[in-house]
Amino acid sequence: MKRTSVVLLTALAPLSWGTTYLVTTALLPAGHPLLAGLLRALPAGLIALMIGRTLPSGGWWLKSLLLGSLNIGAFFPLLFLAAERLPGGVAAAVAGAQPMIILGMSALVLRDRIRPLTAAAAVAGTGASLSSCWVRPRSSTPSASSRRSGA
């Protein structure tokens, strides 16, 4: 596989995950996080089943049920519920802070040692993501509050 193909294929995952908030707020019916989770997970699960063509056996049935319930059955509905209820700015701030969150969780949960280069990369990634929170777009039109006050 050519390097360009690998890079484009690798970029596909973040691009698809980045559409969650937009799709949830603009296209899906509000108040139905289970339906939204089903619509997101079922096609991928059916495709994976068609490609793999094998079902779990033995002790893997229980493990698959537990992992599927937590990873898909709980995660997707909670993801869509959060996307419905959180303002876009809060969702963007949480998403932008993920490198620092993951760094902290790996240190606490996995007892991973935080290396200086890893910490610098997490800070740079978080800073780049959150820098848009402090930049206010310039507008040539008066704000709504100044129009209301007659200014």
Side-chain angles (χ1 to χ4, degrees):
M1 194 179 277
K2 292 182 180 179
R3 179 170 169 79
T4 307
S5 300
V6 171
V7 169
L8 291 174
L9 190 59
T10 305
L12 188 62
L15 286 173
S16 65
W17 276 103
T19 63
T20 300
Y21 187 80
L22 174 67
V23 168
T24 302
T25 56
L27 301 175
L28 293 176
H32 300 285
L34 283 173
L35 174 65
L38 175 75
L39 293 174
R40 176 91 182 235
L42 187 61
L46 292 175
I47 291 169
L49 191 59
M50 286 189 317
I51 291 171
R53 295 184 185 234
T54 57
L55 293 173
S57 61
W60 277 101
W61 275 105
L62 183 60
K63 294 174 188 173
S64 297
L65 180 65
L66 180 65
L67 288 171
S69 296
L70 293 175
N71 193 27
I72 304 300
F75 173 73
F76 277 140
L78 291 173
L79 173 73
F80 287 108
L81 186 67
E84 282 179 10
R85 297 180 190 266
L86 282 178
V90 174
V94 170
Q98 282 180 352
M100 295 297 292
I101 294 168
I102 296 301
L103 184 67
M105 287 179 64
S106 68
L108 291 173
V109 175
L110 302 175
R111 304 279 188 235
D112 227 2
R113 184 175 63 86
I114 299 175
R115 296 186 204 125
L117 183 60
T118 308
V123 168
T126 300
S129 297
L130 297 180
S131 65
S132 63
C133 293
W134 290 288
V135 177
R136 200 171 266 196
R138 294 183 184 161
S139 175
S140 60
T141 61
S143 68
S145 61
S146 64
R147 283 193 299 256
R148 274 186 250 127
S149 64

